[in-house]
Amino acid sequence: MKLELSHIAIACPAIEKIAEKLKVLSLQITEHHEVPTEKVRAAMLPVDVSHHFRLELLEPTVPDSPISKFLLKRPEGGIHHVSFEVTQIEKWQALLNQNGFEILPPGIRKAARGKALFIHPKSMGGVLVELEEITT
């Protein structure tokens, strides 16, 4: 038996609105589907998968960590963020700033496997997005 990641579903009030923002990240819709049984319209955006891809489990180590705050609202946990591997993270930060994306302070920061920046959920249809430059 095999187990492979199929997709990450993101609920949004208007697909085309978030699709415009995703174009800045070089993500393009390639398929649209109506799913009558679920009463939804779906759009598919293919992404390349990094050979560094992993599922990341996050547990807070102190009460004031961002994950502690997340768990106060969702005690059972849940998807916290979606992460994309990038190169030249400084150029990505400049591109995002030029296009009006809100980046969470302090901007580029040390991360588990290198450097990262987080795009505020307000800029990405309610989803916290991480751009990660892996250096380890």
Side-chain angles (χ1 to χ4, degrees):
M1 294 187 341
K2 72 176 183 176
L3 178 75
E4 297 177 338
L5 181 63
S6 170
H7 64 274
I8 297 169
I10 299 171
C12 56
I15 287 172
E16 296 307 322
K17 185 175 179 183
I18 191 68
E20 285 302 311
K21 292 181 181 254
L22 292 172
K23 284 180 184 177
V24 174
L25 297 175
S26 301
L27 297 172
Q28 300 279 338
I29 292 174
T30 59
E31 307 168 53
H32 283 90
H33 303 279
E34 293 285 333
V35 187
T37 56
E38 300 302 319
K39 302 176 185 169
V40 298
R41 185 166 69 113
M44 300 299 190
L45 299 95
V47 295
D48 292 329
V49 179
S50 162
H51 71 279
H52 292 114
F53 177 80
R54 306 287 185 274
L55 292 177
E56 178 180 48
L57 304 177
L58 301 169
E59 176 184 346
T61 57
V62 294
D64 66 343
S65 81
I67 299 305
S68 293
K69 294 172 187 173
F70 181 88
L71 291 171
L72 285 174
K73 296 178 187 171
R74 296 169 199 83
E76 297 301 315
I79 293 178
H80 183 262
H81 65 272
V82 176
S83 180
F84 295 96
E85 182 181 351
V86 300
T87 58
Q88 300 179 318
I89 197 166
E90 292 81 6
K91 289 184 178 181
W92 278 102
Q93 183 175 25
L95 177 67
L96 293 167
N97 285 331
Q98 290 167 4
N99 283 276
F101 286 72
E102 184 177 342
I103 296 173
L104 293 178
I108 297 172
R109 65 191 76 194
K110 183 176 178 357
R113 300 186 290 175
K115 298 186 283 187
L117 67 81
F118 287 88
I119 304 170
H120 195 289
K122 289 189 286 190
S123 293
M124 294 301 295
V127 177
L128 178 61
V129 173
E130 174 187 26
L131 299 185
E132 175 185 38
E133 185 170 346
I134 297 173
T135 57
T136 59

